[in-house]
Amino acid sequence: MHSVVLSPGSPLPCDSLSVFVYRDLDGGALVREQPIFTTRAHVFQIDPSTKKNWVPASKQAVTVSYFYDVTRNSYRIISVDGAKVIINSTITPNMTFTKTSQKFGQWADSRANTVFGLGFSSEQQLTKFAEKFQEVKEAARLARDKSQEKTETSSNHSQASSVNGTDDEKASHVGPADTHLKSENDKLKIALTQSAANVKKWEVELQTLRESNARLTAALQESAASVEQWKRQFSLCREENDRLRNKIDELEEQCSEINREKERNTQLKQRIEELESEVREKETELNDLRKQSEIIPQLMSECEYVSEKLEAAERDNQNLEGKVRSLKTDIEERWAVFISPENGGSCLR
């Protein structure tokens, strides 16, 4: 597995976020941080000047991992973009991871004096990261509590050893009876001191309770006044809501009427378009008739000319028929004369 030796508390990037290795504070053995959860996301940091706008810390989605330090019993979120560490945040019990949208979450790091934001490709990845943050935060809280318990236990043992050593030195110089009386006296002094301290403590607590009671009474009175005010505001809001609902009903009715009017207008437009189409057809027919009417006088003139020609042809035909009949008659007469016996029937021979 690839690893890199790092200085305490400030890891540098390696080829993969598999393991971070650094020397302990004494410069001795090498300590390893193992990743316990890894995902990919776009990393952002809050703009330090405006404290409102997000500034991209990575040009693309990068690996973001939770690391556990066995030696220090601590957890960190680490992300590396190329050769640059863009997230190095130690998780504390006071931190909170907030989902601001379906695919974006953020947390504040007071040590780094910034706010980190992560943009995920899916809501499931965001949910898993948030659940892991809560789990690591709880583990950090338990580790802190155990550390405090160990510190208190060590302190108590030190005080007990110091007291016992002083008593042993005194016991070597006095007798058993005096030792017993002195022990009882010390116990009484301690009890008296504790009683006086408890009385003062109870007086302080009683005064605190009285002040708290007075504040609670004032707050209760303010709350009662606020409740009445809220009731009046609620009544006004309900009346306003009813008025707005009636107005909405009226507007919806007007919208329905407008829609019906639109439908009628649409039908009228269609009818107008049909009539306009019919008018255009009639105008075309009228233009055709006008053109035909312009041709009719010429046709009538030609018809009269043809009629005159026809009548002249009929007269010529009748004349020709008369001539033909005359020629026929003349031919028949000549033929009859030609073949008569007086001519000796010469033609027949």
Side-chain angles (χ1 to χ4, degrees):
M1 182 180 295
H2 189 81
S3 60
V4 174
V5 177
L6 308 172
S7 60
S10 299
L12 296 175
C14 54
D15 293 339
S16 66
L17 285 175
S18 300
V19 174
F20 276 105
V21 181
Y22 57 88
R23 293 193 178 277
D24 60 9
L25 296 176
D26 297 330
L30 294 177
V31 183
R32 290 174 176 263
E33 283 186 275
Q34 296 288 347
I36 58 176
F37 179 84
T38 300
T39 185
R40 292 185 66 82
H42 291 270
V43 180
F44 299 85
Q45 287 188 12
I46 202 70
D47 189 347
S49 59
T50 63
K51 298 295 183 181
K52 293 181 180 180
N53 301 325
W54 289 107
V55 178
S58 63
K59 297 180 180 179
Q60 58 187 359
V62 294
T63 301
V64 182
S65 301
Y66 287 93
F67 278 83
Y68 174 57
D69 186 346
V70 180
T71 304
R72 293 187 174 88
N73 196 17
S74 63
Y75 298 85
R76 288 196 291 173
I77 298 176
I78 298 175
S79 180
V80 176
D81 185 11
K84 179 182 178 183
V85 177
I86 55 179
I87 298 179
N88 183 7
S89 178
T90 301
I91 305 300
T92 64
N94 297 327
M95 287 185 177
T96 301
F97 185 82
T98 305
K99 296 180 182 179
T100 57
S101 66
Q102 292 183 347
K103 298 181 182 180
F104 193 88
Q106 66 184 52
W107 79 95
D109 189 340
S110 58
R111 294 182 180 179
N113 193 24
T114 187
V115 179
F116 293 103
L118 297 179
F120 296 88
S121 59
S122 66
E123 186 177 359
Q124 290 78 10
Q125 290 182 346
L126 173 60
T127 301
K128 290 181 180 179
F129 189 90
E131 291 174 351
K132 196 65 181 178
F133 193 98
Q134 187 64 27
E135 178 183 337
V136 169
K137 174 183 172 181
E138 184 64 21
R141 185 187 65 80
L142 294 175
R144 183 192 64 181
D145 293 344
K146 288 182 180 179
S147 177
Q148 290 178 353
E149 289 177 0
K150 290 180 180 179
T151 303
E152 292 175 358
T153 303
S154 177
S155 177
N156 292 335
H157 284 311
S158 298
Q159 292 177 0
S161 299
S162 176
V163 172
N164 291 333
T166 302
D167 291 342
D168 292 340
E169 292 175 358
K170 291 180 179 180
S172 62
H173 299 288
V174 298
D178 293 336
T179 301
H180 179 69
L181 290 174
K182 189 169 184 59
S183 176
E184 291 294 330
N185 189 20
D186 290 339
K187 289 181 180 179
L188 290 173
K189 287 181 179 179
I190 292 172
L192 181 60
T193 303
Q194 289 178 348
S195 298
N198 289 334
V199 168
K200 291 181 179 180
K201 180 181 178 181
W202 291 335
E203 288 178 352
V204 172
E205 290 182 354
L206 180 59
Q207 183 63 27
T208 303
L209 289 174
R210 286 175 179 174
E211 293 175 356
S212 178
N213 188 23
R215 288 195 298 269
L216 290 174
T217 302
L220 181 61
Q221 293 175 353
E222 292 178 0
S223 299
S226 298
V227 167
E228 294 298 328
Q229 183 179 359
W230 282 112
K231 284 182 179 180
R232 290 193 297 270
Q233 291 183 356
F234 177 74
S235 178
L236 294 175
C237 290
R238 186 166 56 185
E239 293 176 358
E240 182 68 14
N241 188 25
D242 293 338
R243 188 182 66 80
L244 291 175
R245 284 183 178 177
N246 295 331
K247 186 65 176 178
I248 290 172
D249 293 337
E250 293 176 1
L251 292 175
E252 288 179 349
E253 181 63 26
Q254 292 178 3
C255 289
S256 300
E257 183 64 27
I258 290 172
N259 291 331
R260 289 192 293 270
E261 189 66 25
K262 285 182 179 179
E263 292 178 358
R264 288 196 294 270
N265 290 337
T266 302
Q267 294 175 356
L268 289 174
K269 285 182 179 179
Q270 292 177 352
R271 181 58 181 165
I272 289 171
E273 291 176 356
E274 293 175 357
L275 292 174
E276 288 177 349
S277 177
E278 292 179 0
V279 167
R280 286 193 295 270
E281 292 177 358
K282 295 298 182 182
E283 287 179 350
T284 303
E285 293 179 0
L286 182 59
N287 290 330
D288 293 339
L289 290 174
R290 285 175 180 173
K291 292 179 181 179
Q292 292 177 4
S293 65
E294 292 175 357
I295 299 173
I296 286 174
Q298 182 179 357
L299 292 176
M300 292 180 67
S301 176
E302 292 178 356
C303 184
E304 290 177 358
Y305 176 75
V306 171
S307 296
E308 291 175 357
K309 288 285 187 180
L310 183 60
E311 289 177 357
E314 287 180 353
R315 286 194 298 270
D316 292 340
N317 188 24
Q318 289 177 359
N319 291 332
L320 290 174
E321 286 180 353
K323 288 181 180 182
V324 168
R325 284 194 299 271
S326 177
L327 289 173
K328 275 184 165 184
T329 304
D330 189 25
I331 291 170
E332 287 176 356
E333 288 177 356
R334 290 182 180 184
W335 178 256
V337 172
F338 184 73
I339 62 171
S340 63
E342 291 154 351
N343 291 330
S346 61
C347 288
L348 291 176
R349 293 191 189 104

